[in-house]
Amino acid sequence: MRARFLKIIILSLAFILLSNCKSTYKTQSFSSKKIPSQPNYELENSWAVLPTKYTNEFKKYASLKPDTLKADVFYVYPTLNTSKKDNRWNVPIDDVEQNKKVLAKAVLYQSSAFAETGKMYVPFYRQAHYRSFVKGYKKEGKEALKLAYSDVKNAFKVYLKKYNNKRPIILVGHSQGTRHAVQLVKDFFDEKPLAKKLIAAYIPGIRVKPNEFKSIKPMYSPNVTGGFVAWNTFKKGNTPKNKNWYNGSVTNNPISWDKKTTTELQQHKGFLYSNGKMYSQALKVQITDGLVWSTNPQFPLRFFMSFLKNYHAGDINLFWLDIKKNSLLRTQNWVDKNIK
């Protein structure tokens, strides 16, 4: 078993190193004639996860009493199509390989942090390819991202109409998913009546400015509700190539959830690794201007992670149990204030 996970880490490391090399992507023009068919979110098969549609693996993290949950969680997964050989701008929602990644990676190791907090809703969407964010591809990438968001927006409309029943909402995204979640906040919550139902928006993985929204504000206390939290994680001492990109962005402490700029090992509640094991008291963080600096996590395979400088992929996993407990706290606080 250990050998298998070592192999996975080595292959992952090789992929990361290769992906940092200068190279180009196969591409094509963006055309309305080539885009995948629009999903129908009235159909269950357009959803990766519904409260009645949990995989057996996901059920391990879910509440044993789902009918007692007071909140809903709407999660938008990150970019999973990164292949340099795939020239499609958007992935159809019936793409088998993509959907396996959604369920076995993003859903299982990110949205699962909220599975005891609320009933989970995760739409498949025509996700934009990673090159949409790469210099030289952004013109057509903009169209691909616009198409992807149209799906997320339509899914959220169906969720509100068909499933929500006026329940409070936690909105979650990561990376491309956060980009779409930010727009959902603007379209449905910011200075709108639905803001009263917002427990929190957890939107790590991209730059989010303090004034991104008009009425939805950053939250710097662990039990505050109605706002958002955001962060971007790098290995301690490292910064992105564009050092100023994240400056001034909202950088919540995903361990203490307050304005503390450092934490100690014993404060860290738990890092969920891809072997399904939880590692507590595994890391410390330091908050800098726009970044969460994390120490290399203390766990059996830490040597391989020591090569990484950008912990973007672990924005949620590294703080999985910290996020879970915080979402439970915020939800209970919202319920205590609003449900009598």
Side-chain angles (χ1 to χ4, degrees):
M1 181 66 74
R2 182 179 175 83
R4 184 169 69 88
F5 287 118
L6 284 172
K7 183 178 180 181
I8 291 172
I9 290 295
I10 291 169
L11 290 173
S12 298
L13 179 60
F15 171 79
I16 291 164
L17 293 174
L18 287 171
S19 66
N20 287 332
C21 297
K22 185 176 181 181
S23 59
T24 58
Y25 293 85
K26 286 188 176 180
T27 191
Q28 60 178 318
S29 61
F30 184 91
S31 168
S32 59
K33 296 179 180 179
K34 297 178 182 179
I35 62 176
S37 300
Q38 182 177 4
N40 177 0
Y41 292 105
E42 295 286 347
L43 303 177
E44 284 196 5
N45 61 11
S46 295
W47 295 82
V49 179
L50 290 169
T52 56
K53 191 183 176 183
Y54 287 6
T55 64
N56 289 333
E57 292 82 3
F58 189 76
K59 287 178 181 178
K60 297 175 184 177
Y61 301 106
S63 172
L64 297 176
K65 298 180 179 179
D67 291 338
T68 67
L69 298 176
K70 302 296 184 182
D72 288 345
V73 180
F74 190 93
Y75 164 75
V76 190
Y77 50 84
T79 306
L80 296 170
N81 186 15
T82 61
S83 171
K84 289 184 169 64
K85 297 179 180 179
D86 190 340
N87 69 353
R88 298 174 299 177
W89 281 105
N90 296 85
V91 185
I93 69 161
D94 59 358
D95 185 292
V96 175
E97 291 304 314
Q98 172 82 350
N99 293 353
K100 284 180 180 178
K101 293 178 184 178
V102 172
L103 292 170
K105 294 182 178 181
V107 165
L108 192 58
Y109 293 106
Q110 288 193 347
S111 69
S112 59
F114 301 87
E116 286 192 14
T117 302
K119 295 182 177 181
M120 189 68 58
Y121 297 86
V122 184
F124 288 123
Y125 68 99
R126 292 172 293 179
Q127 184 174 88
H129 190 282
Y130 173 76
R131 71 182 182 280
S132 298
F133 300 97
V134 176
K135 185 178 180 180
Y137 300 92
K138 290 186 177 180
K139 181 179 179 181
E140 292 183 299
K142 183 178 179 180
E143 294 299 320
L145 288 164
K146 183 179 177 181
L147 180 72
Y149 175 67
S150 72
D151 286 353
V152 175
K153 184 175 183 179
N154 287 337
F156 194 72
K157 286 180 178 178
V158 172
Y159 155 73
L160 289 176
K161 179 185 72 173
K162 188 173 181 178
Y163 299 112
N164 175 253
N165 295 317
K166 301 182 179 180
R167 290 160 55 85
I169 301 167
I170 293 176
L171 193 62
V172 184
H174 182 245
S175 194
Q176 180 177 161
T178 283
R179 178 189 175 103
H180 301 317
V182 164
Q183 194 59 48
L184 284 180
V185 173
K186 293 178 179 180
D187 288 346
F188 292 92
F189 297 93
D190 201 19
E191 293 191 323
K192 294 177 174 61
L194 194 60
K196 296 178 181 179
K197 294 292 184 181
L198 181 66
I199 295 174
Y202 290 79
I203 46 177
I206 66 168
R207 180 183 64 178
V208 184
K209 294 293 187 179
N211 61 351
E212 188 74 40
F213 313 111
K214 296 175 182 177
S215 65
I216 308 299
K217 303 299 181 182
M219 302 183 295
Y220 293 103
S221 180
N223 60 354
V224 170
T225 61
F228 73 94
V229 291
W231 63 92
N232 291 276
T233 317
F234 276 70
K235 184 179 180 181
K236 187 175 180 179
N238 290 278
T239 57
K241 291 181 181 179
N242 183 351
K243 294 183 179 180
N244 299 322
W245 175 254
Y246 293 106
N247 288 358
S249 61
V250 174
T251 309
N252 290 98
N253 186 323
I255 293 177
S256 65
W257 305 102
D258 54 23
K259 292 189 176 182
K260 289 186 176 66
T261 57
T262 60
T263 64
E264 299 301 325
L265 281 178
Q266 62 268 24
Q267 292 176 266
H268 177 242
K269 294 180 177 61
F271 157 36
L272 178 64
Y273 190 55
S274 58
N275 59 4
K277 293 184 178 180
M278 189 74 63
Y279 300 95
S280 15
Q281 299 185 16
L283 58 87
K284 299 187 288 186
V285 300
Q286 176 182 340
I287 307 303
T288 67
D289 184 5
L291 297 177
V292 172
W293 271 353
S294 170
T295 57
N296 185 21
Q298 296 186 5
F299 74 116
L301 300 177
R302 69 190 306 265
F303 170 76
F304 298 97
M305 196 163 175
S306 68
F307 291 94
L308 301 179
K309 296 180 179 180
N310 185 343
Y311 286 175
H312 173 77
D315 280 327
I316 293 178
N317 304 60
L318 288 171
F319 313 104
W320 190 96
L321 192 53
D322 305 84
I323 292 169
K324 172 183 173 178
K325 290 186 179 295
N326 182 251
S327 68
L328 286 166
L329 175 63
R330 292 190 198 274
T331 297
Q332 188 58 55
N333 193 44
W334 189 96
V335 170
D336 290 344
K337 288 182 177 180
N338 294 277
I339 299 178
K340 298 179 181 179

